Amino acid sequence: MNAAETRALQGALREALARGQGAAIATVVGVRGSAYRREGTRMLVLDDGAQVCMLSGGCLEAEVVEVALDVIASGEAHVTHYDLSEDATWGLGIGCGGSVDVRIERVDLNDPVTAAWHAALDAGEAAALAVPLGGQGHVLVRPDGEVVGTLADPEVHAFAVAQARERLGLREPRAVTVQAPGGGALFIDLNAPPPALVIYGAGHDALPLAAQAYALGYEVHVVDPRAAYLTPGRFPGAALHDLAPEELGTFAPPARAQHLVMNHHLDRDRVCLAFALRSGAPYVGVLGPRTRALDLLAALAAEGQTFSAAQLEALRSPVGLQIGAEAPEEVALSILAELMAWRRGYGGGFLNGHAGRIHDAPTHGAPTHGAAS
């Protein structure tokens, strides 16, 4: 579930609770075969039947709402299995060819673990929530080691905490259901800070890039010394930094940020590239042909500025997927598609003819190295 969806769901939940409405969260906790969404996808259901976000392409929502209304009334969490195979659901026009398990729980912020989990979701903070699917209770784990709550079985509790800590250290933390000691299913939900994008340059082509990135849940930062270009009207939702190149030392980008140099000004690009490479960022892109990035590095070398192999490994040039993009909006789409593929460990190629599971990627299990993504 991306940061934009989480932001929308949590905002609607806060408003509903302020009105005194009952609410439940439905979460996908298991997927077998083909399904529209993956583990960790959430949907909010209110006591009047309203819903926010979706668990599927529309085939599950009506049934989930009915179950959620019962859960809101009873307070008893419930796990339901939905078979989306063609044989079972052809008459409904679904035919996804897989099955999903959905856990539905009433939101009770008087429970310390639930309150801590929703506080983390609201703040965009990293946290893991471990829930035994066949039993009661849950436990929240933070990256600093803090644990909120206790599971009844000490062995399962220790296993849940260890699993949560391990997954919080992955490059792209994702929800998963694992087998706990004793054979029970343990669902580990994960929340990570939203990805961050630092754009150096507030020109015309930065507008669709910033807007699309924000819509996808990015924390967007735009850096430019031209105050007339750097306005909230041009970059809604973005943090704006009116900084000349010599002032970049006062800027502290998020450690997990990806950086994109696109000033269209050689002197500013040179200084911004050096700053981005030295920031420890795992991704530093330079807009334009490969020769532009090489020329910038050569100019920096002539000044005596050199970079380590690890720093240069972060350099990406040209940026974007090769989709024939020309207009600024198309270029933005190309760049953000590459960023998503890079973050999640995919190659960015065509899915046509792919016979395996399309949601698996090698780096889902890769530990975080250097700055988090």
Side-chain angles (χ1 to χ4, degrees):
M1 188 162 181
N2 69 30
E5 291 176 302
T6 299
R7 188 166 58 217
L9 188 152
Q10 291 300 120
L13 175 62
R14 287 194 302 272
E15 293 175 2
L17 295 179
R19 293 192 298 266
Q21 284 191 268
I25 300 291
T27 306
V28 175
V29 297
V31 175
R32 286 166 294 281
S34 176
Y36 192 75
R37 302 296 300 270
R38 309 309 295 175
E39 290 89 348
T41 303
R42 306 181 203 101
M43 181 174 81
L44 171 68
V45 180
L46 303 181
D47 58 11
D48 60 2
Q51 66 185 65
V52 178
C53 295
M54 299 180 70
L55 299 180
S56 72
C59 47
L60 293 180
E61 282 66 21
E63 174 63 22
V64 170
V65 167
E66 292 302 316
V67 178
L69 293 177
D70 290 339
V71 169
I72 292 172
S74 69
E76 296 294 324
H78 187 75
V79 178
T80 303
H81 176 78
Y82 296 94
D83 188 344
L84 307 180
S85 66
E86 292 186 359
D87 289 342
T89 58
W90 186 258
L92 298 178
I94 299 172
C96 296
S99 62
V100 300
D101 296 325
V102 178
R103 184 177 188 272
I104 305 172
E105 183 176 33
R106 186 173 69 185
V107 178
D108 178 11
L109 295 186
N110 291 318
D111 172 66
V113 178
T114 301
W117 173 242
H118 283 280
L121 293 175
D122 283 336
E125 296 174 347
L129 181 71
V131 183
L133 295 181
Q136 299 296 316
H138 42 201
V139 60
L140 180 134
V141 180
R142 302 186 193 278
D144 63 4
E146 180 188 1
V147 176
V148 181
T150 305
L151 300 181
D153 185 319
E155 186 178 10
V156 174
H157 176 83
F159 176 81
V161 171
Q163 288 287 309
R165 285 175 174 159
E166 177 182 339
R167 282 169 170 75
L168 282 169
L170 299 181
R171 170 169 158 177
E172 181 77 4
R174 301 186 71 169
V176 66
T177 294
V178 297
Q179 293 300 306
L186 179 73
F187 174 61
I188 301 176
D189 205 352
L190 287 144
N191 188 58
L197 177 63
V198 178
I199 302 171
Y200 298 93
H204 178 69
D205 53 352
L207 302 181
L209 178 63
Q212 291 179 31
Y214 182 75
L216 290 174
Y218 274 84
E219 175 189 330
V220 180
H221 296 258
V222 184
V223 181
D224 198 291
R226 300 168 296 178
Y229 286 73
L230 206 65
T231 66
R234 286 168 57 83
F235 297 100
L240 306 179
H241 305 273
D242 182 359
L243 297 171
E246 61 272 15
E247 298 173 316
L248 284 177
T250 65
F251 175 48
R256 64 191 181 279
Q258 295 115 59
H259 296 235
L260 186 60
V261 178
M262 49 186 299
N263 287 290
H264 300 289
H265 186 283
L266 285 173
D267 286 341
R268 288 201 296 269
D269 279 347
R270 186 184 77 257
V271 177
C272 290
L273 176 58
F275 176 80
L277 288 174
R278 291 203 173 93
S279 72
Y283 180 108
V284 178
V286 177
L287 188 69
R290 179 69 174 174
T291 54
R292 183 176 181 85
L294 295 176
D295 287 345
L296 292 173
L297 288 175
L300 289 167
E303 298 173 357
Q305 298 195 57
T306 58
F307 304 92
S308 69
Q311 289 170 331
L312 291 174
E313 187 180 353
L315 180 62
R316 309 280 293 199
S317 173
V319 290
L321 296 187
Q322 192 174 18
I323 59 175
E326 295 182 4
E329 293 78 8
E330 296 172 343
V331 172
L333 175 64
S334 167
I335 292 171
L336 289 168
E338 183 198 341
L339 286 174
M340 180 178 291
W342 173 84
R343 279 178 31 234
R344 297 181 178 176
Y346 290 88
F350 290 120
L351 284 174
N352 178 50
H354 185 84
R357 289 170 58 91
I358 65 174
H359 291 284
D360 289 339
T363 60
H364 286 168
T368 300
H369 55 86
S373 61

